[in-house]
């Protein structure tokens, strides 16, 4: 299962155990950064695997969720119009001018920018950018359904077609299913 689903499965147990979720998420972030920093100097396969899992990114999202859930005073800064519109501008700037990179600095900065944007769009009643139009709600439900079933489609496609066609054609046909 994917990284997000691992967190979805684990967090209820962690929360029920009485562990402070903020401390838990900070611990996960720091542990990931220490491990990634250590492994990046070693250049081994484990480092490559961990850089793709990015538990630290999920933990950053968890911190934003905790800020909202516990109504932490940091929300006044996150909900400030400069932060909200600044996050929109930053995302647009990144989309046009910044080449995505898997390194720690890029992902941490972009995680915080997206965290501010998501909290404003989803929970700030004064933020004008909303995605609550019925068509968008329908497409969101549809895309989540596709997301949930696409691993099954990939498995069926793999079983039916892998090795039965040239690798180029297989890649071309498999790509839309992967997405």
């Amino acid at each position: 299962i994917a990284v997000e689903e691992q967190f979805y499965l684990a967090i209820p147990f962690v929360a029920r155990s009485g562990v402070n979720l903020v401390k838990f998420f900070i611990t996960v972030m720091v542990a990931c950064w220490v491990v990634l920093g250590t492994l990046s100097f070693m250049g081994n396969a484990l480092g490559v695997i961990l850089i793709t899992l990015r538990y630290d990114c999920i933990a950053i999202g968890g911190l934003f969720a905790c800020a909202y859930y516990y109504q932490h005073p940091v929300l006044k800064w996150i909900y400030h119009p400069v932060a909200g519109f600044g996050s929109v501008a930053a995302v647009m700037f990144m989309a046009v001018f910044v080449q995505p990179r898997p390194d720690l600095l890029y992902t941490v900065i972009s995680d915080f920018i997206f965290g501010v944007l998501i909290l404003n769009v989803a929970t700030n009643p004064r933020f004008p950018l909303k995605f609550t139009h019925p068509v968008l709600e329908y497409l969101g439900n549809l895309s989540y359904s596709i997301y949930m079933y696409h691993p099954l489609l990939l498995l069926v496609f793999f079983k039916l077609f892998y090795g039965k066609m040239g690798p180029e054609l297989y890649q071309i046909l498999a790509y839309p299913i992967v997405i």
Side-chain angles (χ1 to χ4, degrees):
I1 60 176
V3 175
E4 296 100 306
E5 285 77 15
Q6 292 173 31
F7 260 70
Y8 298 154
L9 289 173
I11 292 306
F13 295 107
V14 173
R16 282 191 208 116
S17 73
V19 171
N20 180 314
L21 286 177
V22 173
K23 290 180 181 176
F24 173 77
F25 289 132
I26 291 172
T27 301
V28 169
M29 280 181 356
V30 171
C32 286
W33 295 342
V34 167
V35 170
L36 288 171
T38 303
L39 293 176
S40 68
F41 292 113
M42 299 167 65
N44 60 22
L46 182 59
V48 172
I49 292 169
L50 286 177
I51 199 87
T52 61
L53 292 177
R54 299 316 305 250
Y55 287 107
D56 55 326
C57 298
I58 298 295
I60 291 170
L63 283 175
F64 278 94
C66 286
Y68 176 71
Y69 183 77
Y70 296 115
Q71 291 297 295
H72 192 276
V74 75
L75 285 177
K76 90 173 179 188
W77 296 101
I78 293 172
Y79 286 167
H80 192 279
V82 172
F85 290 111
S87 66
V88 172
V91 167
M92 292 187 331
F93 178 83
M94 288 169 34
V96 174
F97 298 110
V98 179
Q99 179 67 32
R101 302 184 324 251
D103 64 80
L104 187 62
L105 181 64
Y106 174 82
T107 54
V108 169
I109 291 171
S110 62
D111 289 345
F112 277 94
I113 291 169
F114 279 108
V116 170
L117 179 62
I118 290 167
L119 268 185
N120 273 289
V121 169
T123 66
N124 183 353
R126 294 185 312 258
F127 194 67
L129 181 61
K130 298 290 180 197
F131 296 114
T132 55
H133 190 276
V135 172
L136 295 175
E137 295 280 342
Y138 173 77
L139 291 174
N141 291 334
L142 181 64
S143 71
Y144 186 72
S145 301
I146 292 169
Y147 165 75
M148 292 304 292
Y149 290 110
H150 93 274
L152 178 62
L153 293 174
L154 282 172
L155 179 64
V156 169
F157 185 81
F158 177 79
K159 289 290 189 187
L160 290 176
F161 298 109
Y162 186 76
K164 296 181 176 85
M165 60 180 69
E168 296 84 9
L169 179 59
Y170 179 82
Q171 290 298 323
I172 291 170
L173 295 176
Y175 187 71
I177 296 173
V178 170
I179 292 177

